[in-house]
PDB file of all heavy atoms in Angstrom:
ATOM      1  N   LEU A   1     -80.531 -72.787 122.118  1.00 97.00           N
ATOM      2  CA  LEU A   1     -80.991 -73.548 123.274  1.00 97.00           C
ATOM      3  C   LEU A   1     -81.286 -72.558 124.396  1.00 97.00           C
ATOM      4  O   LEU A   1     -80.879 -71.394 124.333  1.00 97.00           O
ATOM      5  CB  LEU A   1     -79.897 -74.522 123.714  1.00 97.00           C
ATOM      6  CG  LEU A   1     -79.565 -75.632 122.724  1.00 97.00           C
ATOM      7  CD1 LEU A   1     -78.191 -76.217 123.019  1.00 97.00           C
ATOM      8  CD2 LEU A   1     -80.626 -76.704 122.767  1.00 97.00           C
ATOM      9  N   ASP A   2     -81.973 -73.009 125.424  1.00 96.00           N
ATOM     10  CA  ASP A   2     -82.189 -72.164 126.601  1.00 96.00           C
ATOM     11  C   ASP A   2     -80.847 -71.921 127.295  1.00 96.00           C
ATOM     12  O   ASP A   2     -79.850 -72.581 126.990  1.00 96.00           O
ATOM     13  CB  ASP A   2     -83.170 -72.823 127.570  1.00 96.00           C
ATOM     14  CG  ASP A   2     -84.625 -72.680 127.120  1.00 96.00           C
ATOM     15  OD1 ASP A   2     -84.917 -71.801 126.283  1.00 96.00           O
ATOM     16  OD2 ASP A   2     -85.454 -73.460 127.621  1.00 96.00           O
ATOM     17  N   ALA A   3     -80.835 -71.018 128.252  1.00 94.00           N
ATOM     18  CA  ALA A   3     -79.608 -70.663 128.974  1.00 94.00           C
ATOM     19  C   ALA A   3     -78.938 -71.873 129.622  1.00 94.00           C
ATOM     20  O   ALA A   3     -77.712 -71.921 129.738  1.00 94.00           O
ATOM     21  CB  ALA A   3     -79.906 -69.602 130.021  1.00 94.00           C
ATOM     22  N   ASP A   4     -79.733 -72.881 130.004  1.00 94.00           N
ATOM     23  CA  ASP A   4     -79.168 -74.089 130.621  1.00 94.00           C
ATOM     24  C   ASP A   4     -78.914 -75.191 129.586  1.00 94.00           C
ATOM     25  O   ASP A   4     -78.752 -76.359 129.923  1.00 94.00           O
ATOM     26  CB  ASP A   4     -80.076 -74.595 131.741  1.00 94.00           C
ATOM     27  CG  ASP A   4     -81.446 -75.043 131.243  1.00 94.00           C
ATOM     28  OD1 ASP A   4     -81.766 -74.840 130.045  1.00 94.00           O
ATOM     29  OD2 ASP A   4     -82.212 -75.591 132.051  1.00 94.00           O
ATOM     30  N   PHE A   5     -78.888 -74.802 128.307  1.00 93.00           N
ATOM     31  CA  PHE A   5     -78.645 -75.704 127.175  1.00 93.00           C
ATOM     32  C   PHE A   5     -79.719 -76.778 127.020  1.00 93.00           C
ATOM     33  O   PHE A   5     -79.465 -77.867 126.512  1.00 93.00           O
ATOM     34  CB  PHE A   5     -77.240 -76.335 127.237  1.00 93.00           C
ATOM     35  CG  PHE A   5     -76.163 -75.374 126.823  1.00 93.00           C
ATOM     36  CD1 PHE A   5     -75.591 -74.511 127.751  1.00 93.00           C
ATOM     37  CD2 PHE A   5     -75.733 -75.308 125.507  1.00 93.00           C
ATOM     38  CE1 PHE A   5     -74.610 -73.606 127.390  1.00 93.00           C
ATOM     39  CE2 PHE A   5     -74.754 -74.408 125.128  1.00 93.00           C
ATOM     40  CZ  PHE A   5     -74.187 -73.553 126.062  1.00 93.00           C
ATOM     41  N   SER A   6     -80.943 -76.470 127.423  1.00 95.00           N
ATOM     42  CA  SER A   6     -82.069 -77.381 127.213  1.00 95.00           C
ATOM     43  C   SER A   6     -82.883 -76.886 126.019  1.00 95.00           C
ATOM     44  O   SER A   6     -82.722 -75.767 125.548  1.00 95.00           O
ATOM     45  CB  SER A   6     -82.940 -77.463 128.468  1.00 95.00           C
ATOM     46  OG  SER A   6     -83.498 -76.201 128.756  1.00 95.00           O
ATOM     47  N   THR A   7     -83.784 -77.738 125.551  1.00 97.00           N
ATOM     48  CA  THR A   7     -84.648 -77.379 124.428  1.00 97.00           C
ATOM     49  C   THR A   7     -85.715 -76.403 124.900  1.00 97.00           C
ATOM     50  O   THR A   7     -86.393 -76.662 125.901  1.00 97.00           O
ATOM     51  CB  THR A   7     -85.321 -78.643 123.852  1.00 97.00           C
ATOM     52  OG1 THR A   7     -84.299 -79.554 123.451  1.00 97.00           O
ATOM     53  CG2 THR A   7     -86.206 -78.312 122.669  1.00 97.00           C
ATOM     54  N   PRO A   8     -85.874 -75.293 124.188  1.00 97.00           N
ATOM     55  CA  PRO A   8     -86.908 -74.324 124.589  1.00 97.00           C
ATOM     56  C   PRO A   8     -88.304 -74.948 124.561  1.00 97.00           C
ATOM     57  O   PRO A   8     -88.630 -75.762 123.685  1.00 97.00           O
ATOM     58  CB  PRO A   8     -86.794 -73.224 123.527  1.00 97.00           C
ATOM     59  CG  PRO A   8     -85.400 -73.344 122.999  1.00 97.00           C
ATOM     60  CD  PRO A   8     -85.085 -74.820 123.051  1.00 97.00           C
ATOM     61  N   THR A   9     -89.124 -74.576 125.530  1.00 97.00           N
ATOM     62  CA  THR A   9     -90.486 -75.093 125.634  1.00 97.00           C
ATOM     63  C   THR A   9     -91.290 -74.796 124.374  1.00 97.00           C
ATOM     64  O   THR A   9     -92.072 -75.638 123.921  1.00 97.00           O
ATOM     65  CB  THR A   9     -91.190 -74.475 126.860  1.00 97.00           C
ATOM     66  OG1 THR A   9     -90.385 -74.705 128.008  1.00 97.00           O
ATOM     67  CG2 THR A   9     -92.552 -75.081 127.080  1.00 97.00           C
ATOM     68  N   SER A  10     -91.079 -73.635 123.778  1.00 96.00           N
ATOM     69  CA  SER A  10     -91.818 -73.268 122.565  1.00 96.00           C
ATOM     70  C   SER A  10     -91.493 -74.206 121.402  1.00 96.00           C
ATOM     71  O   SER A  10     -92.342 -74.468 120.552  1.00 96.00           O
ATOM     72  CB  SER A  10     -91.506 -71.819 122.172  1.00 96.00           C
ATOM     73  OG  SER A  10     -90.120 -71.663 121.911  1.00 96.00           O
ATOM     74  N   VAL A  11     -90.291 -74.730 121.383  1.00 97.00           N
ATOM     75  CA  VAL A  11     -89.874 -75.654 120.325  1.00 97.00           C
ATOM     76  C   VAL A  11     -90.585 -77.000 120.505  1.00 97.00           C
ATOM     77  O   VAL A  11     -91.141 -77.546 119.550  1.00 97.00           O
ATOM     78  CB  VAL A  11     -88.334 -75.826 120.330  1.00 97.00           C
ATOM     79  CG1 VAL A  11     -87.902 -76.938 119.386  1.00 97.00           C
ATOM     80  CG2 VAL A  11     -87.661 -74.515 119.964  1.00 97.00           C
ATOM     81  N   THR A  12     -90.578 -77.526 121.714  1.00 97.00           N
ATOM     82  CA  THR A  12     -91.259 -78.800 121.952  1.00 97.00           C
ATOM     83  C   THR A  12     -92.769 -78.652 121.793  1.00 97.00           C
ATOM     84  O   THR A  12     -93.428 -79.566 121.298  1.00 97.00           O
ATOM     85  CB  THR A  12     -90.912 -79.389 123.337  1.00 97.00           C
ATOM     86  OG1 THR A  12     -91.194 -78.428 124.339  1.00 97.00           O
ATOM     87  CG2 THR A  12     -89.453 -79.782 123.413  1.00 97.00           C
ATOM     88  N   ALA A  13     -93.306 -77.507 122.177  1.00 97.00           N
ATOM     89  CA  ALA A  13     -94.747 -77.274 122.021  1.00 97.00           C
ATOM     90  C   ALA A  13     -95.151 -77.263 120.546  1.00 97.00           C
ATOM     91  O   ALA A  13     -96.285 -77.611 120.211  1.00 97.00           O
ATOM     92  CB  ALA A  13     -95.136 -75.957 122.687  1.00 97.00           C
ATOM     93  N   ALA A  14     -94.225 -76.898 119.674  1.00 97.00           N
ATOM     94  CA  ALA A  14     -94.497 -76.878 118.231  1.00 97.00           C
ATOM     95  C   ALA A  14     -94.264 -78.248 117.586  1.00 97.00           C
ATOM     96  O   ALA A  14     -94.395 -78.396 116.368  1.00 97.00           O
ATOM     97  CB  ALA A  14     -93.624 -75.821 117.558  1.00 97.00           C
ATOM     98  N   GLY A  15     -93.922 -79.264 118.394  1.00 97.00           N
ATOM     99  CA  GLY A  15     -93.764 -80.617 117.881  1.00 97.00           C
ATOM    100  C   GLY A  15     -92.362 -80.969 117.407  1.00 97.00           C
ATOM    101  O   GLY A  15     -92.163 -81.982 116.754  1.00 97.00           O
ATOM    102  N   PHE A  16     -91.384 -80.126 117.744  1.00 98.00           N
ATOM    103  CA  PHE A  16     -90.010 -80.388 117.340  1.00 98.00           C
ATOM    104  C   PHE A  16     -89.251 -81.073 118.475  1.00 98.00           C
ATOM    105  O   PHE A  16     -89.544 -80.863 119.642  1.00 98.00           O
ATOM    106  CB  PHE A  16     -89.299 -79.076 116.966  1.00 98.00           C
ATOM    107  CG  PHE A  16     -89.774 -78.489 115.662  1.00 98.00           C
ATOM    108  CD1 PHE A  16     -90.882 -77.662 115.629  1.00 98.00           C
ATOM    109  CD2 PHE A  16     -89.117 -78.762 114.479  1.00 98.00           C
ATOM    110  CE1 PHE A  16     -91.333 -77.118 114.436  1.00 98.00           C
ATOM    111  CE2 PHE A  16     -89.546 -78.229 113.279  1.00 98.00           C
ATOM    112  CZ  PHE A  16     -90.670 -77.402 113.257  1.00 98.00           C
ATOM    113  N   HIS A  17     -88.263 -81.875 118.091  1.00 97.00           N
ATOM    114  CA  HIS A  17     -87.439 -82.615 119.044  1.00 97.00           C
ATOM    115  C   HIS A  17     -85.969 -82.282 118.796  1.00 97.00           C
ATOM    116  O   HIS A  17     -85.553 -82.065 117.659  1.00 97.00           O
ATOM    117  CB  HIS A  17     -87.644 -84.128 118.884  1.00 97.00           C
ATOM    118  CG  HIS A  17     -89.062 -84.546 119.067  1.00 97.00           C
ATOM    119  ND1 HIS A  17     -89.573 -84.910 120.284  1.00 97.00           N
ATOM    120  CD2 HIS A  17     -90.085 -84.631 118.179  1.00 97.00           C
ATOM    121  CE1 HIS A  17     -90.851 -85.214 120.139  1.00 97.00           C
ATOM    122  NE2 HIS A  17     -91.191 -85.045 118.869  1.00 97.00           N
ATOM    123  N   TYR A  18     -85.186 -82.301 119.861  1.00 97.00           N
ATOM    124  CA  TYR A  18     -83.752 -82.052 119.759  1.00 97.00           C
ATOM    125  C   TYR A  18     -83.105 -83.134 118.896  1.00 97.00           C
ATOM    126  O   TYR A  18     -83.368 -84.322 119.082  1.00 97.00           O
ATOM    127  CB  TYR A  18     -83.144 -82.071 121.168  1.00 97.00           C
ATOM    128  CG  TYR A  18     -81.644 -81.937 121.218  1.00 97.00           C
ATOM    129  CD1 TYR A  18     -81.047 -80.694 121.278  1.00 97.00           C
ATOM    130  CD2 TYR A  18     -80.835 -83.066 121.212  1.00 97.00           C
ATOM    131  CE1 TYR A  18     -79.664 -80.566 121.340  1.00 97.00           C
ATOM    132  CE2 TYR A  18     -79.456 -82.952 121.271  1.00 97.00           C
ATOM    133  CZ  TYR A  18     -78.875 -81.704 121.340  1.00 97.00           C
ATOM    134  OH  TYR A  18     -77.509 -81.583 121.397  1.00 97.00           O
ATOM    135  N   VAL A  19     -82.256 -82.706 117.956  1.00 97.00           N
ATOM    136  CA  VAL A  19     -81.524 -83.654 117.117  1.00 97.00           C
ATOM    137  C   VAL A  19     -80.052 -83.676 117.529  1.00 97.00           C
ATOM    138  O   VAL A  19     -79.525 -84.707 117.915  1.00 97.00           O
ATOM    139  CB  VAL A  19     -81.647 -83.312 115.613  1.00 97.00           C
ATOM    140  CG1 VAL A  19     -80.826 -84.276 114.767  1.00 97.00           C
ATOM    141  CG2 VAL A  19     -83.099 -83.316 115.181  1.00 97.00           C
ATOM    142  N   ILE A  20     -79.398 -82.526 117.442  1.00 97.00           N
ATOM    143  CA  ILE A  20     -77.983 -82.433 117.797  1.00 97.00           C
ATOM    144  C   ILE A  20     -77.624 -80.970 118.019  1.00 97.00           C
ATOM    145  O   ILE A  20     -78.158 -80.084 117.342  1.00 97.00           O
ATOM    146  CB  ILE A  20     -77.075 -83.070 116.717  1.00 97.00           C
ATOM    147  CG1 ILE A  20     -75.645 -83.251 117.231  1.00 97.00           C
ATOM    148  CG2 ILE A  20     -77.129 -82.282 115.417  1.00 97.00           C
ATOM    149  CD1 ILE A  20     -74.769 -84.126 116.345  1.00 97.00           C
ATOM    150  N   GLY A  21     -76.737 -80.737 118.958  1.00 96.00           N
ATOM    151  CA  GLY A  21     -76.266 -79.392 119.235  1.00 96.00           C
ATOM    152  C   GLY A  21     -75.024 -79.069 118.433  1.00 96.00           C
ATOM    153  O   GLY A  21     -74.309 -79.966 117.967  1.00 96.00           O
ATOM    154  N   SER A  22     -74.752 -77.797 118.303  1.00 96.00           N
ATOM    155  CA  SER A  22     -73.595 -77.348 117.543  1.00 96.00           C
ATOM    156  C   SER A  22     -72.289 -77.890 118.109  1.00 96.00           C
ATOM    157  O   SER A  22     -71.427 -78.350 117.358  1.00 96.00           O
ATOM    158  CB  SER A  22     -73.565 -75.816 117.518  1.00 96.00           C
ATOM    159  OG  SER A  22     -72.448 -75.349 116.822  1.00 96.00           O
ATOM    160  N   ILE A  23     -72.143 -77.856 119.418  1.00 95.00           N
ATOM    161  CA  ILE A  23     -70.897 -78.341 120.035  1.00 95.00           C
ATOM    162  C   ILE A  23     -70.704 -79.825 119.745  1.00 95.00           C
ATOM    163  O   ILE A  23     -69.615 -80.254 119.343  1.00 95.00           O
ATOM    164  CB  ILE A  23     -70.889 -78.072 121.558  1.00 95.00           C
ATOM    165  CG1 ILE A  23     -70.857 -76.568 121.835  1.00 95.00           C
ATOM    166  CG2 ILE A  23     -69.711 -78.769 122.224  1.00 95.00           C
ATOM    167  CD1 ILE A  23     -71.048 -76.200 123.294  1.00 95.00           C
ATOM    168  N   SER A  24     -71.744 -80.629 119.917  1.00 95.00           N
ATOM    169  CA  SER A  24     -71.644 -82.074 119.641  1.00 95.00           C
ATOM    170  C   SER A  24     -71.329 -82.332 118.175  1.00 95.00           C
ATOM    171  O   SER A  24     -70.528 -83.217 117.852  1.00 95.00           O
ATOM    172  CB  SER A  24     -72.946 -82.785 120.013  1.00 95.00           C
ATOM    173  OG  SER A  24     -73.164 -82.712 121.398  1.00 95.00           O
ATOM    174  N   ALA A  25     -71.942 -81.568 117.292  1.00 95.00           N
ATOM    175  CA  ALA A  25     -71.703 -81.731 115.854  1.00 95.00           C
ATOM    176  C   ALA A  25     -70.261 -81.383 115.506  1.00 95.00           C
ATOM    177  O   ALA A  25     -69.610 -82.088 114.724  1.00 95.00           O
ATOM    178  CB  ALA A  25     -72.674 -80.871 115.060  1.00 95.00           C
ATOM    179  N   GLN A  26     -69.763 -80.298 116.086  1.00 94.00           N
ATOM    180  CA  GLN A  26     -68.379 -79.894 115.822  1.00 94.00           C
ATOM    181  C   GLN A  26     -67.397 -80.950 116.309  1.00 94.00           C
ATOM    182  O   GLN A  26     -66.443 -81.294 115.606  1.00 94.00           O
ATOM    183  CB  GLN A  26     -68.082 -78.546 116.504  1.00 94.00           C
ATOM    184  CG  GLN A  26     -68.812 -77.383 115.878  1.00 94.00           C
ATOM    185  CD  GLN A  26     -68.775 -76.144 116.760  1.00 94.00           C
ATOM    186  OE1 GLN A  26     -68.095 -76.085 117.767  1.00 94.00           O
ATOM    187  NE2 GLN A  26     -69.541 -75.130 116.378  1.00 94.00           N
ATOM    188  N   GLU A  27     -67.637 -81.464 117.514  1.00 94.00           N
ATOM    189  CA  GLU A  27     -66.756 -82.493 118.066  1.00 94.00           C
ATOM    190  C   GLU A  27     -66.804 -83.769 117.224  1.00 94.00           C
ATOM    191  O   GLU A  27     -65.769 -84.385 116.966  1.00 94.00           O
ATOM    192  CB  GLU A  27     -67.122 -82.782 119.513  1.00 94.00           C
ATOM    193  CG  GLU A  27     -66.781 -81.644 120.454  1.00 94.00           C
ATOM    194  CD  GLU A  27     -67.313 -81.832 121.870  1.00 94.00           C
ATOM    195  OE1 GLU A  27     -68.087 -82.797 122.111  1.00 94.00           O
ATOM    196  OE2 GLU A  27     -66.966 -81.011 122.730  1.00 94.00           O
ATOM    197  N   ALA A  28     -67.986 -84.165 116.797  1.00 93.00           N
ATOM    198  CA  ALA A  28     -68.123 -85.375 115.981  1.00 93.00           C
ATOM    199  C   ALA A  28     -67.432 -85.194 114.633  1.00 93.00           C
ATOM    200  O   ALA A  28     -66.761 -86.106 114.142  1.00 93.00           O
ATOM    201  CB  ALA A  28     -69.596 -85.717 115.787  1.00 93.00           C
ATOM    202  N   ALA A  29     -67.566 -84.022 114.039  1.00 92.00           N
ATOM    203  CA  ALA A  29     -66.981 -83.763 112.713  1.00 92.00           C
ATOM    204  C   ALA A  29     -65.457 -83.792 112.744  1.00 92.00           C
ATOM    205  O   ALA A  29     -64.819 -83.974 111.699  1.00 92.00           O
ATOM    206  CB  ALA A  29     -67.484 -82.438 112.168  1.00 92.00           C
ATOM    207  N   GLU A  30     -64.866 -83.649 113.921  1.00 92.00           N
ATOM    208  CA  GLU A  30     -63.406 -83.735 114.028  1.00 92.00           C
ATOM    209  C   GLU A  30     -62.901 -85.116 113.620  1.00 92.00           C
ATOM    210  O   GLU A  30     -61.733 -85.280 113.271  1.00 92.00           O
ATOM    211  CB  GLU A  30     -62.959 -83.417 115.456  1.00 92.00           C
ATOM    212  CG  GLU A  30     -63.105 -81.954 115.813  1.00 92.00           C
ATOM    213  CD  GLU A  30     -62.741 -81.658 117.269  1.00 92.00           C
ATOM    214  OE1 GLU A  30     -62.271 -82.578 117.984  1.00 92.00           O
ATOM    215  OE2 GLU A  30     -62.938 -80.505 117.680  1.00 92.00           O
ATOM    216  N   LEU A  31     -63.784 -86.095 113.631  1.00 91.00           N
ATOM    217  CA  LEU A  31     -63.412 -87.451 113.239  1.00 91.00           C
ATOM    218  C   LEU A  31     -62.948 -87.512 111.784  1.00 91.00           C
ATOM    219  O   LEU A  31     -62.182 -88.386 111.408  1.00 91.00           O
ATOM    220  CB  LEU A  31     -64.589 -88.408 113.462  1.00 91.00           C
ATOM    221  CG  LEU A  31     -64.294 -89.890 113.288  1.00 91.00           C
ATOM    222  CD1 LEU A  31     -63.284 -90.362 114.341  1.00 91.00           C
ATOM    223  CD2 LEU A  31     -65.563 -90.691 113.415  1.00 91.00           C
ATOM    224  N   PHE A  32     -63.371 -86.556 110.963  1.00 91.00           N
ATOM    225  CA  PHE A  32     -62.954 -86.535 109.564  1.00 91.00           C
ATOM    226  C   PHE A  32     -61.451 -86.263 109.440  1.00 91.00           C
ATOM    227  O   PHE A  32     -60.851 -86.558 108.417  1.00 91.00           O
ATOM    228  CB  PHE A  32     -63.733 -85.478 108.770  1.00 91.00           C
ATOM    229  CG  PHE A  32     -65.118 -85.903 108.407  1.00 91.00           C
ATOM    230  CD1 PHE A  32     -66.215 -85.318 109.004  1.00 91.00           C
ATOM    231  CD2 PHE A  32     -65.336 -86.874 107.447  1.00 91.00           C
ATOM    232  CE1 PHE A  32     -67.509 -85.692 108.662  1.00 91.00           C
ATOM    233  CE2 PHE A  32     -66.620 -87.263 107.088  1.00 91.00           C
ATOM    234  CZ  PHE A  32     -67.707 -86.677 107.703  1.00 91.00           C
ATOM    235  N   GLY A  33     -60.846 -85.698 110.468  1.00 87.00           N
ATOM    236  CA  GLY A  33     -59.410 -85.413 110.425  1.00 87.00           C
ATOM    237  C   GLY A  33     -59.085 -84.423 109.327  1.00 87.00           C
ATOM    238  O   GLY A  33     -59.761 -83.408 109.162  1.00 87.00           O
ATOM    239  N   ALA A  34     -58.078 -84.730 108.537  1.00 88.00           N
ATOM    240  CA  ALA A  34     -57.631 -83.832 107.465  1.00 88.00           C
ATOM    241  C   ALA A  34     -58.556 -83.889 106.251  1.00 88.00           C
ATOM    242  O   ALA A  34     -58.504 -83.014 105.386  1.00 88.00           O
ATOM    243  CB  ALA A  34     -56.207 -84.184 107.052  1.00 88.00           C
ATOM    244  N   TYR A  35     -59.389 -84.910 106.189  1.00 89.00           N
ATOM    245  CA  TYR A  35     -60.319 -85.045 105.060  1.00 89.00           C
ATOM    246  C   TYR A  35     -61.359 -83.929 105.128  1.00 89.00           C
ATOM    247  O   TYR A  35     -61.926 -83.659 106.184  1.00 89.00           O
ATOM    248  CB  TYR A  35     -61.012 -86.409 105.111  1.00 89.00           C
ATOM    249  CG  TYR A  35     -62.043 -86.607 104.024  1.00 89.00           C
ATOM    250  CD1 TYR A  35     -61.654 -86.909 102.730  1.00 89.00           C
ATOM    251  CD2 TYR A  35     -63.396 -86.481 104.301  1.00 89.00           C
ATOM    252  CE1 TYR A  35     -62.584 -87.090 101.729  1.00 89.00           C
ATOM    253  CE2 TYR A  35     -64.344 -86.664 103.312  1.00 89.00           C
ATOM    254  CZ  TYR A  35     -63.932 -86.962 102.022  1.00 89.00           C
ATOM    255  OH  TYR A  35     -64.869 -87.129 101.033  1.00 89.00           O
ATOM    256  N   VAL A  36     -61.602 -83.260 104.002  1.00 90.00           N
ATOM    257  CA  VAL A  36     -62.606 -82.194 103.942  1.00 90.00           C
ATOM    258  C   VAL A  36     -63.879 -82.772 103.326  1.00 90.00           C
ATOM    259  O   VAL A  36     -63.940 -83.016 102.116  1.00 90.00           O
ATOM    260  CB  VAL A  36     -62.098 -80.990 103.106  1.00 90.00           C
ATOM    261  CG1 VAL A  36     -63.164 -79.915 103.045  1.00 90.00           C
ATOM    262  CG2 VAL A  36     -60.802 -80.453 103.679  1.00 90.00           C
ATOM    263  N   PRO A  37     -64.901 -83.008 104.155  1.00 91.00           N
ATOM    264  CA  PRO A  37     -66.136 -83.630 103.652  1.00 91.00           C
ATOM    265  C   PRO A  37     -66.998 -82.635 102.881  1.00 91.00           C
ATOM    266  O   PRO A  37     -66.939 -81.425 103.110  1.00 91.00           O
ATOM    267  CB  PRO A  37     -66.838 -84.072 104.928  1.00 91.00           C
ATOM    268  CG  PRO A  37     -66.384 -83.079 105.948  1.00 91.00           C
ATOM    269  CD  PRO A  37     -64.958 -82.752 105.586  1.00 91.00           C
ATOM    270  N   THR A  38     -67.821 -83.173 101.994  1.00 92.00           N
ATOM    271  CA  THR A  38     -68.816 -82.351 101.310  1.00 92.00           C
ATOM    272  C   THR A  38     -69.959 -82.071 102.290  1.00 92.00           C
ATOM    273  O   THR A  38     -70.066 -82.742 103.333  1.00 92.00           O
ATOM    274  CB  THR A  38     -69.382 -83.082 100.079  1.00 92.00           C
ATOM    275  OG1 THR A  38     -70.101 -84.243 100.539  1.00 92.00           O
ATOM    276  CG2 THR A  38     -68.281 -83.485  99.108  1.00 92.00           C
ATOM    277  N   LYS A  39     -70.821 -81.124 101.953  1.00 91.00           N
ATOM    278  CA  LYS A  39     -71.981 -80.850 102.811  1.00 91.00           C
ATOM    279  C   LYS A  39     -72.868 -82.086 102.907  1.00 91.00           C
ATOM    280  O   LYS A  39     -73.430 -82.376 103.949  1.00 91.00           O
ATOM    281  CB  LYS A  39     -72.772 -79.658 102.287  1.00 91.00           C
ATOM    282  CG  LYS A  39     -72.114 -78.349 102.572  1.00 91.00           C
ATOM    283  CD  LYS A  39     -73.008 -77.182 102.227  1.00 91.00           C
ATOM    284  CE  LYS A  39     -72.357 -75.911 102.701  1.00 91.00           C
ATOM    285  NZ  LYS A  39     -73.290 -74.805 102.766  1.00 91.00           N
ATOM    286  N   GLU A  40     -72.978 -82.824 101.822  1.00 92.00           N
ATOM    287  CA  GLU A  40     -73.773 -84.059 101.806  1.00 92.00           C
ATOM    288  C   GLU A  40     -73.192 -85.081 102.784  1.00 92.00           C
ATOM    289  O   GLU A  40     -73.914 -85.724 103.543  1.00 92.00           O
ATOM    290  CB  GLU A  40     -73.806 -84.644 100.390  1.00 92.00           C
ATOM    291  CG  GLU A  40     -74.243 -86.079 100.315  1.00 92.00           C
ATOM    292  CD  GLU A  40     -75.699 -86.264 100.010  1.00 92.00           C
ATOM    293  OE1 GLU A  40     -76.379 -85.301  99.645  1.00 92.00           O
ATOM    294  OE2 GLU A  40     -76.158 -87.405 100.151  1.00 92.00           O
ATOM    295  N   GLU A  41     -71.874 -85.236 102.787  1.00 93.00           N
ATOM    296  CA  GLU A  41     -71.241 -86.178 103.703  1.00 93.00           C
ATOM    297  C   GLU A  41     -71.429 -85.753 105.161  1.00 93.00           C
ATOM    298  O   GLU A  41     -71.688 -86.592 106.020  1.00 93.00           O
ATOM    299  CB  GLU A  41     -69.745 -86.305 103.388  1.00 93.00           C
ATOM    300  CG  GLU A  41     -69.471 -87.057 102.104  1.00 93.00           C
ATOM    301  CD  GLU A  41     -68.022 -87.006 101.681  1.00 93.00           C
ATOM    302  OE1 GLU A  41     -67.345 -85.975 101.920  1.00 93.00           O
ATOM    303  OE2 GLU A  41     -67.555 -88.014 101.100  1.00 93.00           O
ATOM    304  N   VAL A  42     -71.306 -84.460 105.415  1.00 93.00           N
ATOM    305  CA  VAL A  42     -71.522 -83.949 106.777  1.00 93.00           C
ATOM    306  C   VAL A  42     -72.944 -84.270 107.222  1.00 93.00           C
ATOM    307  O   VAL A  42     -73.174 -84.751 108.333  1.00 93.00           O
ATOM    308  CB  VAL A  42     -71.245 -82.434 106.865  1.00 93.00           C
ATOM    309  CG1 VAL A  42     -71.701 -81.872 108.202  1.00 93.00           C
ATOM    310  CG2 VAL A  42     -69.766 -82.148 106.654  1.00 93.00           C
ATOM    311  N   SER A  43     -73.915 -84.023 106.348  1.00 95.00           N
ATOM    312  CA  SER A  43     -75.316 -84.292 106.680  1.00 95.00           C
ATOM    313  C   SER A  43     -75.556 -85.762 106.962  1.00 95.00           C
ATOM    314  O   SER A  43     -76.186 -86.117 107.968  1.00 95.00           O
ATOM    315  CB  SER A  43     -76.229 -83.835 105.538  1.00 95.00           C
ATOM    316  OG  SER A  43     -76.152 -82.453 105.375  1.00 95.00           O
ATOM    317  N   ARG A  44     -75.078 -86.636 106.088  1.00 94.00           N
ATOM    318  CA  ARG A  44     -75.256 -88.085 106.279  1.00 94.00           C
ATOM    319  C   ARG A  44     -74.593 -88.553 107.571  1.00 94.00           C
ATOM    320  O   ARG A  44     -75.157 -89.346 108.329  1.00 94.00           O
ATOM    321  CB  ARG A  44     -74.663 -88.859 105.092  1.00 94.00           C
ATOM    322  CG  ARG A  44     -75.503 -88.817 103.850  1.00 94.00           C
ATOM    323  CD  ARG A  44     -74.931 -89.619 102.677  1.00 94.00           C
ATOM    324  NE  ARG A  44     -74.087 -90.727 103.040  1.00 94.00           N
ATOM    325  CZ  ARG A  44     -72.885 -90.954 102.493  1.00 94.00           C
ATOM    326  NH1 ARG A  44     -72.386 -90.155 101.579  1.00 94.00           N
ATOM    327  NH2 ARG A  44     -72.175 -92.008 102.866  1.00 94.00           N
ATOM    328  N   PHE A  45     -73.388 -88.062 107.806  1.00 95.00           N
ATOM    329  CA  PHE A  45     -72.626 -88.425 108.990  1.00 95.00           C
ATOM    330  C   PHE A  45     -73.347 -88.010 110.267  1.00 95.00           C
ATOM    331  O   PHE A  45     -73.541 -88.800 111.185  1.00 95.00           O
ATOM    332  CB  PHE A  45     -71.240 -87.772 108.904  1.00 95.00           C
ATOM    333  CG  PHE A  45     -70.429 -87.864 110.160  1.00 95.00           C
ATOM    334  CD1 PHE A  45     -69.807 -89.052 110.514  1.00 95.00           C
ATOM    335  CD2 PHE A  45     -70.262 -86.764 110.981  1.00 95.00           C
ATOM    336  CE1 PHE A  45     -69.041 -89.141 111.669  1.00 95.00           C
ATOM    337  CE2 PHE A  45     -69.495 -86.839 112.127  1.00 95.00           C
ATOM    338  CZ  PHE A  45     -68.884 -88.035 112.477  1.00 95.00           C
ATOM    339  N   LEU A  46     -73.769 -86.738 110.335  1.00 96.00           N
ATOM    340  CA  LEU A  46     -74.406 -86.229 111.543  1.00 96.00           C
ATOM    341  C   LEU A  46     -75.790 -86.834 111.776  1.00 96.00           C
ATOM    342  O   LEU A  46     -76.185 -87.045 112.915  1.00 96.00           O
ATOM    343  CB  LEU A  46     -74.475 -84.702 111.522  1.00 96.00           C
ATOM    344  CG  LEU A  46     -73.126 -83.989 111.645  1.00 96.00           C
ATOM    345  CD1 LEU A  46     -73.308 -82.484 111.518  1.00 96.00           C
ATOM    346  CD2 LEU A  46     -72.425 -84.341 112.952  1.00 96.00           C
TER     347      LEU A  46
END
């Protein structure tokens, strides 16, 4: 992300949109608790 945690202009100019940031994904994944999800489950969840 840019220094202010915004989407870089070059990314939006290329037609891409923000989906999720690493920090938000990490915080959301904590919901799994002690359960260790598969990569497929992480993808579906996020």
Side-chain angles (χ1 to χ4, degrees):
L1 294 160
D2 282 341
D4 64 353
F5 284 87
S6 63
T7 302
T9 306
S10 60
V11 171
T12 55
F16 288 86
H17 302 269
Y18 175 89
V19 177
I20 193 168
S22 179
I23 294 172
S24 295
Q26 291 166 8
E27 290 172 352
E30 288 176 5
L31 188 64
F32 282 110
Y35 177 78
V36 179
T38 65
K39 284 188 173 197
E40 163 96 11
E41 288 171 326
V42 170
S43 296
R44 284 182 27 228
F45 170 76
L46 291 176

